[in-house]
Amino acid sequence: MAKQSNIRITPLGGIGEIGKNMTVIEYADEILIVDCGLCFPREDMLGVDYVIPDITYLRENKHKIKAILITHGHEDHIGATPYLLPELGAPVYGTDLALALIEKKLEERKLKGFDLNIIAAGDSFSIGSFKIEAIKVSHSIDAAVGYALHTPAGVIVHTGDFKIDYTPIDGKVIDLAKFADLGNKGVLALMSDSTNAETPGFTKSESQVGETFENYFKKASGRIIVATFASNIHRLQQVISASKRFGR
């Protein structure tokens, strides 16, 4: 029997910072990359528009790269794709919305010929020694997933960004049952990403945000100004629905 290889996990960004998410997962002579994000510059980075991960290690091991898995379509997870994909040349797997956003970025830079593969939550597929399951998670952008990576050395779970919301606007609840099932069977490593997870308490459901909009729209006599992430489509829809309901 051949000797079993170890798993190597190398973060190239996204650890202890918000942005630049990119993680290299290596088994034997095969590499999977999870996300390809950027971060925006600090105040002292004058003249810098954005910061992308250092891919020196990936350049040196380009022949090992099998695929790039995308968890969702936020800039800190896909923003570096138009700058790094031409160098890496690997096939990309992600949900329809995430890949549509990546495709638009590539078009803007007149880049063509990349292998973009649409997957959906619940899908299972194999890449080299890895068997991959895409798992539904809730987030402030639609079509977000986590991944379970089954390898001969054990299972690695990467949650992607997530929020546990039992009453999301679209009714598509995070698949906690799948995470529980994976845990019962045994997980070698868990990589979990949720902003403010170390802060005590919990975040309200997105449906409760809608109730708050209605309360303010009902009381306000003047102009209403709402600030939100453009990618939070469900929240934008709630603003539009509240506006229509109260004739704003």
Side-chain angles (χ1 to χ4, degrees):
M1 179 180 292
K3 183 178 179 181
Q4 180 173 283
S5 298
N6 294 323
I7 292 284
R8 175 183 290 176
I9 300 174
T10 309
L12 300 183
I15 302 296
E17 61 182 344
I18 296 180
K20 210 170 66 179
N21 291 277
M22 192 176 200
T23 304
V24 177
I25 300 172
E26 196 168 354
Y27 175 79
D29 60 350
E30 298 176 338
I31 286 176
L32 283 185
I33 301 168
V34 180
D35 288 331
C36 189
L38 58 72
C39 68
F40 297 104
R42 300 188 305 269
E43 293 178 354
D44 59 344
M45 295 180 176
L46 301 179
V48 177
D49 294 321
Y50 41 76
V51 183
I52 63 177
D54 180 349
I55 62 166
T56 301
Y57 179 75
L58 293 176
R59 288 193 190 100
E60 295 170 351
N61 294 275
K62 183 178 177 179
H63 61 286
K64 297 182 181 180
I65 301 173
K66 298 300 180 183
I68 301 172
L69 306 177
I70 300 297
T71 59
H72 64 284
H74 278 155
E75 286 294 289
D76 53 333
H77 293 260
I78 67 167
T81 49
Y83 310 103
L84 301 186
L85 272 185
E87 291 198 62
L88 301 177
V92 181
Y93 293 78
T95 58
D96 50 3
L97 177 58
L99 292 193
L101 293 169
I102 289 174
E103 193 169 27
K104 186 64 176 175
K105 291 177 179 297
L106 296 173
E107 287 177 2
E108 289 172 353
R109 293 181 62 84
K110 296 180 171 57
L111 298 170
K112 298 180 180 179
F114 295 98
D115 185 7
L116 305 181
N117 301 274
I118 295 176
I119 55 97
D123 285 354
S124 295
F125 52 101
S126 295
I127 299 174
S129 300
F130 298 86
K131 180 186 175 185
I132 301 158
E133 292 182 274
I135 307 168
K136 167 63 185 172
V137 297
S138 298
H139 191 33
S140 57
I141 188 171
D142 196 21
V145 294
Y147 292 103
L149 310 177
H150 298 262
T151 79
V155 179
I156 297 175
V157 175
H158 191 305
T159 66
D161 287 4
F162 74 95
K163 171 185 177 180
I164 296 178
D165 188 344
Y166 295 110
T167 55
I169 299 302
D170 61 2
K172 300 175 184 176
V173 182
I174 181 174
D175 193 352
L176 291 177
K178 169 53 71 173
F179 287 113
D181 181 58
L182 290 164
N184 289 333
K185 292 177 179 176
V187 171
L188 179 66
L190 168 66
M191 291 179 285
S192 184
D193 196 353
S194 190
T195 306
N196 299 324
E198 296 177 341
T199 304
F202 65 95
T203 303
K204 291 181 179 180
S205 168
E206 192 67 21
S207 61
Q208 290 181 276
V209 176
E211 294 172 8
T212 301
F213 280 142
E214 295 214 0
N215 290 335
Y216 279 111
F217 275 57
K218 190 185 300 181
K219 298 174 184 177
S221 57
R223 179 179 296 177
I224 300 172
I225 299 174
V226 180
T228 183
F229 283 112
S231 60
N232 197 335
I233 299 170
H234 295 145
R235 191 167 296 181
L236 290 173
Q237 182 60 59
Q238 289 187 98
V239 173
I240 294 167
S241 298
S243 300
K244 184 177 179 180
R245 188 171 295 113
F246 295 99
R248 307 295 303 214

